PDB file of all heavy atoms in Angstrom:
ATOM      1  N   ASP A 266      -4.829 -15.533  12.797  1.00 98.00           N
ATOM      2  CA  ASP A 266      -4.464 -14.291  12.112  1.00 98.00           C
ATOM      3  C   ASP A 266      -3.019 -14.424  11.630  1.00 98.00           C
ATOM      4  O   ASP A 266      -2.087 -14.415  12.437  1.00 98.00           O
ATOM      5  CB  ASP A 266      -4.618 -13.108  13.086  1.00 98.00           C
ATOM      6  CG  ASP A 266      -4.303 -11.763  12.458  1.00 98.00           C
ATOM      7  OD1 ASP A 266      -4.087 -11.702  11.230  1.00 98.00           O
ATOM      8  OD2 ASP A 266      -4.269 -10.753  13.196  1.00 98.00           O
ATOM      9  N   LEU A 267      -2.832 -14.572  10.308  1.00 98.00           N
ATOM     10  CA  LEU A 267      -1.503 -14.744   9.733  1.00 98.00           C
ATOM     11  C   LEU A 267      -0.952 -13.414   9.240  1.00 98.00           C
ATOM     12  O   LEU A 267      -1.690 -12.629   8.637  1.00 98.00           O
ATOM     13  CB  LEU A 267      -1.557 -15.739   8.567  1.00 98.00           C
ATOM     14  CG  LEU A 267      -2.076 -17.143   8.894  1.00 98.00           C
ATOM     15  CD1 LEU A 267      -2.162 -17.993   7.632  1.00 98.00           C
ATOM     16  CD2 LEU A 267      -1.195 -17.827   9.936  1.00 98.00           C
ATOM     17  N   TYR A 268       0.325 -13.162   9.473  1.00 97.00           N
ATOM     18  CA  TYR A 268       0.962 -11.853   9.219  1.00 97.00           C
ATOM     19  C   TYR A 268       0.237 -10.799  10.061  1.00 97.00           C
ATOM     20  O   TYR A 268      -0.297  -9.807   9.560  1.00 97.00           O
ATOM     21  CB  TYR A 268       0.910 -11.465   7.740  1.00 97.00           C
ATOM     22  CG  TYR A 268       1.427 -12.526   6.808  1.00 97.00           C
ATOM     23  CD1 TYR A 268       0.549 -13.436   6.199  1.00 97.00           C
ATOM     24  CD2 TYR A 268       2.781 -12.629   6.514  1.00 97.00           C
ATOM     25  CE1 TYR A 268       1.010 -14.414   5.340  1.00 97.00           C
ATOM     26  CE2 TYR A 268       3.258 -13.612   5.648  1.00 97.00           C
ATOM     27  CZ  TYR A 268       2.366 -14.496   5.061  1.00 97.00           C
ATOM     28  OH  TYR A 268       2.827 -15.464   4.201  1.00 97.00           O
ATOM     29  N   ALA A 269       0.222 -11.003  11.361  1.00 95.00           N
ATOM     30  CA  ALA A 269      -0.630 -10.219  12.267  1.00 95.00           C
ATOM     31  C   ALA A 269      -0.137  -8.797  12.493  1.00 95.00           C
ATOM     32  O   ALA A 269      -0.890  -7.955  12.970  1.00 95.00           O
ATOM     33  CB  ALA A 269      -0.746 -10.941  13.605  1.00 95.00           C
ATOM     34  N   ARG A 270       1.135  -8.514  12.207  1.00 87.00           N
ATOM     35  CA  ARG A 270       1.688  -7.179  12.410  1.00 87.00           C
ATOM     36  C   ARG A 270       1.404  -6.703  13.836  1.00 87.00           C
ATOM     37  O   ARG A 270       1.631  -7.401  14.793  1.00 87.00           O
ATOM     38  CB  ARG A 270       1.139  -6.194  11.372  1.00 87.00           C
ATOM     39  CG  ARG A 270       1.093  -6.719   9.924  1.00 87.00           C
ATOM     40  CD  ARG A 270       2.343  -6.592   9.177  1.00 87.00           C
ATOM     41  NE  ARG A 270       2.471  -7.009   7.827  1.00 87.00           N
ATOM     42  CZ  ARG A 270       1.618  -7.118   6.841  1.00 87.00           C
ATOM     43  NH1 ARG A 270       0.354  -6.844   7.011  1.00 87.00           N
ATOM     44  NH2 ARG A 270       1.992  -7.491   5.649  1.00 87.00           N
ATOM     45  N   VAL A 288       0.084 -14.900  14.255  1.00 97.00           N
ATOM     46  CA  VAL A 288       1.426 -15.289  13.814  1.00 97.00           C
ATOM     47  C   VAL A 288       2.093 -14.103  13.136  1.00 97.00           C
ATOM     48  O   VAL A 288       1.527 -13.517  12.204  1.00 97.00           O
ATOM     49  CB  VAL A 288       1.367 -16.495  12.844  1.00 97.00           C
ATOM     50  CG1 VAL A 288       2.770 -16.881  12.389  1.00 97.00           C
ATOM     51  CG2 VAL A 288       0.653 -17.670  13.491  1.00 97.00           C
ATOM     52  N   GLU A 289       3.282 -13.744  13.620  1.00 95.00           N
ATOM     53  CA  GLU A 289       4.019 -12.588  13.085  1.00 95.00           C
ATOM     54  C   GLU A 289       5.506 -12.845  13.271  1.00 95.00           C
ATOM     55  O   GLU A 289       5.930 -13.315  14.320  1.00 95.00           O
ATOM     56  CB  GLU A 289       3.590 -11.309  13.828  1.00 95.00           C
ATOM     57  CG  GLU A 289       4.453 -10.098  13.596  1.00 95.00           C
ATOM     58  CD  GLU A 289       4.575  -9.718  12.135  1.00 95.00           C
ATOM     59  OE1 GLU A 289       3.539  -9.679  11.430  1.00 95.00           O
ATOM     60  OE2 GLU A 289       5.712  -9.458  11.699  1.00 95.00           O
ATOM     61  N   VAL A 316       5.157 -17.525   8.660  1.00 97.00           N
ATOM     62  CA  VAL A 316       3.881 -18.203   8.419  1.00 97.00           C
ATOM     63  C   VAL A 316       4.118 -19.615   7.886  1.00 97.00           C
ATOM     64  O   VAL A 316       3.451 -20.569   8.296  1.00 97.00           O
ATOM     65  CB  VAL A 316       3.010 -17.361   7.461  1.00 97.00           C
ATOM     66  CG1 VAL A 316       1.832 -18.166   6.929  1.00 97.00           C
ATOM     67  CG2 VAL A 316       2.507 -16.107   8.191  1.00 97.00           C
ATOM     68  N   ASP A 317       5.081 -19.765   6.980  1.00 97.00           N
ATOM     69  CA  ASP A 317       5.383 -21.089   6.421  1.00 97.00           C
ATOM     70  C   ASP A 317       5.719 -22.091   7.527  1.00 97.00           C
ATOM     71  O   ASP A 317       5.205 -23.217   7.550  1.00 97.00           O
ATOM     72  CB  ASP A 317       6.581 -21.003   5.461  1.00 97.00           C
ATOM     73  CG  ASP A 317       6.183 -20.461   4.097  1.00 97.00           C
ATOM     74  OD1 ASP A 317       4.976 -20.252   3.878  1.00 97.00           O
ATOM     75  OD2 ASP A 317       7.087 -20.237   3.266  1.00 97.00           O
ATOM     76  N   ALA A 332      -5.528 -13.954   6.435  1.00 98.00           N
ATOM     77  CA  ALA A 332      -4.124 -13.756   6.043  1.00 98.00           C
ATOM     78  C   ALA A 332      -3.990 -12.392   5.373  1.00 98.00           C
ATOM     79  O   ALA A 332      -4.740 -12.073   4.457  1.00 98.00           O
ATOM     80  CB  ALA A 332      -3.677 -14.856   5.087  1.00 98.00           C
ATOM     81  N   ASP A 333      -3.034 -11.607   5.855  1.00 97.00           N
ATOM     82  CA  ASP A 333      -2.759 -10.280   5.300  1.00 97.00           C
ATOM     83  C   ASP A 333      -1.282 -10.246   4.880  1.00 97.00           C
ATOM     84  O   ASP A 333      -0.460  -9.579   5.504  1.00 97.00           O
ATOM     85  CB  ASP A 333      -3.059  -9.218   6.372  1.00 97.00           C
ATOM     86  CG  ASP A 333      -2.826  -7.796   5.872  1.00 97.00           C
ATOM     87  OD1 ASP A 333      -2.693  -7.608   4.655  1.00 97.00           O
ATOM     88  OD2 ASP A 333      -2.765  -6.879   6.715  1.00 97.00           O
ATOM     89  N   PRO A 334      -0.933 -11.001   3.816  1.00 97.00           N
ATOM     90  CA  PRO A 334       0.477 -11.157   3.458  1.00 97.00           C
ATOM     91  C   PRO A 334       1.067  -9.909   2.819  1.00 97.00           C
ATOM     92  O   PRO A 334       0.327  -9.036   2.352  1.00 97.00           O
ATOM     93  CB  PRO A 334       0.454 -12.316   2.457  1.00 97.00           C
ATOM     94  CG  PRO A 334      -0.894 -12.219   1.818  1.00 97.00           C
ATOM     95  CD  PRO A 334      -1.818 -11.741   2.911  1.00 97.00           C
ATOM     96  N   PRO A 335       2.400  -9.818   2.761  1.00 95.00           N
ATOM     97  CA  PRO A 335       3.042  -8.720   2.042  1.00 95.00           C
ATOM     98  C   PRO A 335       2.841  -8.894   0.537  1.00 95.00           C
ATOM     99  O   PRO A 335       2.159  -9.826   0.087  1.00 95.00           O
ATOM    100  CB  PRO A 335       4.513  -8.847   2.434  1.00 95.00           C
ATOM    101  CG  PRO A 335       4.684 -10.285   2.791  1.00 95.00           C
ATOM    102  CD  PRO A 335       3.375 -10.733   3.364  1.00 95.00           C
ATOM    103  N   GLY A 338       2.712 -12.154  -1.460  1.00 97.00           N
ATOM    104  CA  GLY A 338       1.599 -13.084  -1.317  1.00 97.00           C
ATOM    105  C   GLY A 338       1.885 -14.223  -0.349  1.00 97.00           C
ATOM    106  O   GLY A 338       2.909 -14.245   0.336  1.00 97.00           O
ATOM    107  N   LEU A 339       0.968 -15.177  -0.292  1.00 98.00           N
ATOM    108  CA  LEU A 339       1.125 -16.331   0.605  1.00 98.00           C
ATOM    109  C   LEU A 339       2.263 -17.235   0.144  1.00 98.00           C
ATOM    110  O   LEU A 339       3.035 -17.729   0.952  1.00 98.00           O
ATOM    111  CB  LEU A 339      -0.173 -17.148   0.633  1.00 98.00           C
ATOM    112  CG  LEU A 339      -1.357 -16.562   1.404  1.00 98.00           C
ATOM    113  CD1 LEU A 339      -2.626 -17.318   1.073  1.00 98.00           C
ATOM    114  CD2 LEU A 339      -1.082 -16.617   2.899  1.00 98.00           C
ATOM    115  N   SER A 343       2.796 -22.014   1.735  1.00 98.00           N
ATOM    116  CA  SER A 343       1.701 -21.697   2.654  1.00 98.00           C
ATOM    117  C   SER A 343       0.352 -22.111   2.073  1.00 98.00           C
ATOM    118  O   SER A 343      -0.529 -22.582   2.801  1.00 98.00           O
ATOM    119  CB  SER A 343       1.695 -20.194   2.972  1.00 98.00           C
ATOM    120  OG  SER A 343       2.759 -19.874   3.837  1.00 98.00           O
TER     121      SER A 343
END
Side-chain angles (χ1 to χ4, degrees):
D266 182 7
L267 301 176
Y268 308 95
R270 316 276 181 27
V288 180
E289 168 57 46
V316 167
D317 281 355
D333 181 14
L339 286 167
S343 286

